[in-house]
Amino acid sequence: MEKQYSIQEVSRMLGIPKDTLRYYDRIGVVSPSRGHNSYRKYSRDDIVDLMNIQIMQYADFSLEEIKGKFQFHRMQSIDPAYCEEVAEFLETKKAETRKKIAHLEKVSELLDVAAKTLRDFNHENDQQLAVFVREIYRDLHKKEPEITKEDCDGHQN
């Protein structure tokens, strides 16, 4: 017979609060079996599922996405159409992640320019910061801002 784990053991092993494990059970993400005393009993498969959930959450998947898309081991046979749907979903998620990375790189660069400007405040550094901010604004709005260069330069007055 396969070893079963209590909610306390699973919580300690994986660092997941017991309330979170109960919530996962309640919404059907991971539903362990119940012992004769109605206590949750987690199998090795349940523990693997919980580990995968932690990894997917680290990768910025929501619980709804996890619940809706990743049920492989529950299927008796793998449906190629389902696999294709999940593969497309993963590719979309990867594209979203790449956009976030590009955004964070731009934010990091902005913070570098701002810090440099503050450490060595002069007209040239201030102008570089203003140019960079306008570039970011254009990227955000995909158009020229209504504010003119003269308006931006006027912030020093």
Side-chain angles (χ1 to χ4, degrees):
M1 183 164 149
E2 181 182 0
K3 175 153 173 52
Q4 301 278 293
Y5 301 87
S6 71
I7 193 169
Q8 179 138 357
E9 290 172 314
V10 172
S11 176
R12 192 173 36 247
M13 281 188 318
L14 300 180
I16 300 172
K18 290 186 277 187
D19 286 342
T20 301
L21 294 170
R22 290 183 191 103
Y23 176 71
Y24 289 171
D25 187 10
R26 192 168 53 252
I27 67 170
V29 175
V30 174
S31 298
S33 62
R34 299 284 182 141
H36 60 66
N37 55 9
S38 295
Y39 290 170
R40 290 171 179 86
K41 291 296 187 182
Y42 291 85
S43 68
R44 284 183 182 270
D45 286 343
D46 293 330
I47 291 171
V48 169
D49 286 348
L50 290 165
M51 292 167 72
N52 286 328
I53 288 167
Q54 287 180 309
I55 291 166
M56 287 185 273
Q57 285 180 319
Y58 177 79
D60 211 23
F61 287 89
S62 71
L63 281 177
E64 283 304 312
E65 290 170 328
I66 293 166
K67 183 180 176 188
K69 297 290 181 189
F70 300 101
Q71 303 294 323
F72 292 115
H73 72 276
R74 293 179 187 9
M75 298 169 58
Q76 295 300 324
S77 63
I78 301 297
D79 175 15
Y82 173 77
C83 290
E84 182 59 32
E85 177 186 333
V86 172
E88 287 176 17
F89 172 76
L90 292 173
E91 289 169 353
T92 300
K93 195 69 171 177
K94 181 180 175 184
E96 290 172 12
T97 301
R98 293 241 181 255
K99 281 183 182 179
K100 287 178 185 177
I101 290 169
H103 167 77
L104 291 172
E105 286 174 345
K106 201 70 150 173
V107 168
S108 177
E109 192 176 344
L110 173 62
L111 296 174
D112 285 344
V113 172
K116 178 183 177 209
T117 299
L118 291 170
R119 284 197 176 97
D120 184 20
F121 193 83
N122 59 50
H123 182 71
E124 182 181 327
N125 286 347
D126 191 43
Q127 287 304 103
Q128 285 179 319
L129 178 59
V131 166
F132 194 71
V133 168
R134 283 194 301 275
E135 287 174 14
I136 290 174
Y137 188 86
R138 267 194 302 272
D139 288 348
L140 288 173
H141 295 281
K142 302 295 182 202
K143 64 178 183 176
E144 285 294 318
E146 300 296 321
I147 300 170
T148 65
K149 181 180 183 326
E150 291 77 26
D151 291 333
C152 288
D153 289 343
H155 77 280
Q156 294 176 339
N157 296 337

